[in-house]
């Protein structure tokens, strides 16, 4: 209830402009089509006023729509939570462990990152989602994940209604010949005529809505699975990439150290409660976080500073081993690559075998980085930036002579 009140405050009315974007328009359009057609088809298949089952079916359908829209608008309008402009740690000495954002004129709190779309530093930023036209982060992570859960469940219910409606409406309209099967869409299913006539247009609309429901169930269901994996580890997609680069740095320089992710509390239930609470408000203030034993509040930010100082680790070098056309959801790169395509407005880049790539961040099956178009590696300026499948590249081999740690790392060994 507290999160709902924050939606209707006057100062948040300006957030309504987030609706004027292709992502929310498509998402709300799919919800509207599936819900409307499902309610109409429910009248044809299982009239809600005749039986208890029909009433329960109709009420559940309305309930799915309300809960989906509630969590969707919460994720969009409540937002992820932003680091206050001009923020700095209470202990001035802690600022040495933090990065400074010149745009926000503030230090980046632990787990926060600057979003170029929102133009603010976002608390516990996971990613910028075009479907809600906002970032997914500290405050709206729970609402966003619940939306990813409820949308497939509602679509499964709607798909069942679409299937049963088409079956029951077409059952008495089929006529079989020796070599043909005919459907008479003008034939009445019962006498008296149904409240909503099921003609050719209604059949086409139901079939189209069924396709949307099945596609949404698969696509959004995969996103829910990915989100739950990182929530149970108390990570974000950005932090997973930082951890991967940390392990790469340690292996590259052969350092005698082990990187421990500081925010994994060691229990999936404890990690789960960091996002989901009965009150709907996540734990903490978004600036300080509970940590595991052996780490401290700035363990991850210190690792980020090390990676920022090391040009080699900041961008991991890859060589293209398999051509890629630049398709948004490539069907020839594996089913997992197809269904885990990043939900972002950032472009894909076309790859050809033998090209060099500088990857700056990534997901399990996708990487984001720059394709080098000239001979220079680190200092090159001619680049194309975007996403590409991880299976199309491999880490570029390095000379053994270059495996030397920076001065700061040597002292720590």
């Amino acid at each position: 209830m507290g999160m709902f009140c924050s939606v209707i405050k006057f100062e948040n009315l300006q957030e309504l402009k987030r609706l004027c974007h292709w992502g929310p328009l498509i998402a709300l359009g799919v919800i509207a089509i599936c819900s409307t057609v499902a309610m109409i088809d429910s009248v044809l298949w299982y009239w809600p006023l005749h039986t208890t089952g029909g009433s329960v079916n109709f009420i559940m359908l309305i309930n799915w729509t309300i809960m989906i829209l509630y969590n969707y608008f919460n994720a969009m309008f409540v937002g992820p939570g932003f680091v206050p402009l001009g923020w700095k740690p209470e202990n001035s000495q802690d600022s040495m462990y933090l990065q400074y954002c010149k745009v926000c004129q503030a230090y980046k709190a632990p787990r926060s990152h600057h979003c170029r779309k929102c133009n603010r530093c976002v608390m516990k930023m996971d990613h910028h989602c075009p479907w809600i036209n906002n970032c997914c982060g500290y405050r709206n992570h729970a609402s966003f994940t619940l939306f990813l859960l409820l949308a497939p469940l509602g679509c499964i219910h709607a798909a069942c209604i679409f299937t049963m409606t088409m079956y029951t409406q077409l059952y008495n309209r089929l006529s079989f010949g020796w070599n043909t099967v005919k459907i008479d869409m003008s034939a009445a299913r019962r006498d008296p005529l149904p409240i909503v006539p099921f003609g050719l247009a209604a059949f086409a609309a139901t079939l189209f809505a069924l396709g949307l429901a099945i596609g949404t169930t698969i696509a959004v269901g995969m996103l829910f699975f990915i989100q739950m994996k990182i929530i149970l580890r108390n990570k974000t997609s950005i932090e997973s990439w930082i951890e991967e680069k940390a392990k790469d740095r340690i292996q590259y320089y052969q350092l005698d150290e082990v990187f421990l992710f500081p925010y994994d509390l060691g229990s999936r239930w404890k990690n789960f409660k960091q996002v989901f609470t009965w009150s709907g408000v996540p734990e903490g203030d978004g600036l300080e976080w509970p940590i595991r034993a052996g780490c401290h509040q700035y363990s991850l930010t210190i690792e980020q500073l090390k990676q920022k100082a090391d040009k080699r680790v900041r961008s991991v070098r890859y060589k293209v081993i398999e051509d890629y056309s630049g398709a948004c959801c490539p069907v020839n790169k594996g089913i997992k690559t197809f269904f885990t395509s990043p939900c972002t407005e950032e472009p894909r880049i076309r790859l050809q075998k033998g090209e060099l790539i500088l990857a700056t961040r990534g997901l399990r099956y996708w990487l984001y980085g720059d394709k080098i178009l000239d001979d220079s590696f680190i200092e090159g300026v001619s680049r194309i930036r975007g996403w590409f499948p991880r299976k199309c590249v491999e880490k570029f081999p390095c000379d053994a002579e270059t495996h030397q740690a920076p001065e700061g790392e040597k002292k720590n060994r």
Side-chain angles (χ1 to χ4, degrees), residues 49 64 81 107 115 125 132 150 182 192 197 204 253 258 288 291 324 358 360 366 377 395 399 402 413:
L49 298 182
W64 287 127
Y107 286 96
C115 176
M125 179 178 174
I132 62 173
L150 295 170
K182 296 182 179 180
Y253 292 121
V258 177
E288 294 186 3
I291 56 174
Y324 167 55
L358 292 179
T360 55
W366 289 81
F377 171 47
K395 287 187 178 179
D399 296 333
T402 63
R413 290 180 62 178

Side-chain angles (χ1 to χ4, degrees), residues 22-197:
W22 64 265
L25 291 177
I26 293 177
L28 293 174
V30 171
I31 296 172
I33 291 173
C34 290
S35 299
T36 303
V37 176
M39 291 178 187
I40 294 174
D41 283 358
S42 291
V43 175
L44 289 168
W45 168 55
Y46 210 173
W47 178 242
L49 298 182
H50 286 173
T51 62
T52 302
S55 301
V56 172
N57 173 70
F58 199 78
I59 292 173
M60 284 184 61
L61 189 60
I62 296 176
N63 186 55
W64 287 127
T65 304
I66 293 174
M67 290 195 299
I68 289 170
L69 290 175
Y70 173 79
N71 285 282
Y72 179 82
F73 287 126
N74 256 353
M76 178 187 293
F77 294 128
V78 172
F82 301 109
V83 178
L85 297 175
W87 180 86
K88 58 184 179 180
E90 294 182 3
N91 186 351
S92 59
Q93 294 182 347
D94 292 341
S95 60
M96 63 183 295
Y97 303 123
L98 301 173
Q99 299 183 58
Y100 187 79
C101 178
K102 296 180 180 179
V103 177
C104 298
Q105 295 293 304
Y107 286 96
K108 295 181 181 179
R111 312 191 77 177
S112 67
H113 302 274
H114 187 83
C115 176
R116 287 175 292 178
K117 294 289 185 180
C118 298
N119 203 33
R120 288 288 301 275
C121 286
V122 177
M123 296 178 180
K124 193 189 173 187
M125 179 178 174
D126 184 81
H127 68 287
H128 185 92
C129 178
W131 303 110
I132 62 173
N133 196 20
N134 207 340
C135 277
C136 174
Y138 163 68
R139 293 180 62 191
N140 64 351
H141 203 172
S143 296
F144 180 77
T145 307
L146 286 173
F147 166 72
L148 297 183
L149 170 65
L150 295 170
L153 293 178
C155 284
I156 291 173
H157 185 191
C160 293
I161 294 175
F162 300 148
T163 303
M164 293 304 300
T165 300
M166 288 190 292
Y167 171 77
T168 55
Q169 292 297 315
L170 296 178
Y171 182 77
N172 294 325
R173 303 175 193 229
L174 294 173
S175 60
F176 296 91
W178 286 105
N179 298 314
T180 60
V181 178
K182 296 182 179 180
I183 302 177
D184 184 6
M185 297 302 295
S186 63
R189 174 176 173 269
R190 62 176 182 265
D191 191 22
L193 293 175
I195 296 176
V196 182

Side-chain angles (χ1 to χ4, degrees), residues 61 116 135 201 212 264 295 329 331 350 368 382 399 412-413:
L61 189 60
R116 287 175 292 178
C135 277
L212 285 180
D264 187 348
C295 302
C329 298
V331 295
R350 184 173 299 178
Y368 181 88
S382 181
D399 296 333
N412 294 332
R413 290 180 62 178

Side-chain angles (χ1 to χ4, degrees), residues 99 113 238-253 255 257 259 303-308 310-318 358-362 367-368 390 395:
Q99 299 183 58
H113 302 274
I238 296 177
E239 291 168 348
S240 297
W241 176 244
I242 295 173
E243 183 181 28
E244 182 178 337
K245 290 199 292 183
K247 294 177 180 178
D248 178 72
R249 177 183 63 83
I250 294 172
Q251 180 182 8
Y252 182 86
Y253 292 121
L255 300 175
E257 63 179 76
F259 177 77
E303 175 59 35
Q304 288 179 261
L305 291 173
K306 290 180 181 179
Q307 295 177 9
K308 185 177 181 180
D310 185 356
K311 292 182 179 180
R312 195 210 64 82
V313 178
R314 192 191 314 172
S315 300
V316 182
R317 192 180 186 185
Y318 287 88
L358 292 179
T360 55
R361 52 192 168 97
L367 291 172
Y368 181 88
R390 188 184 283 264
K395 287 187 178 179

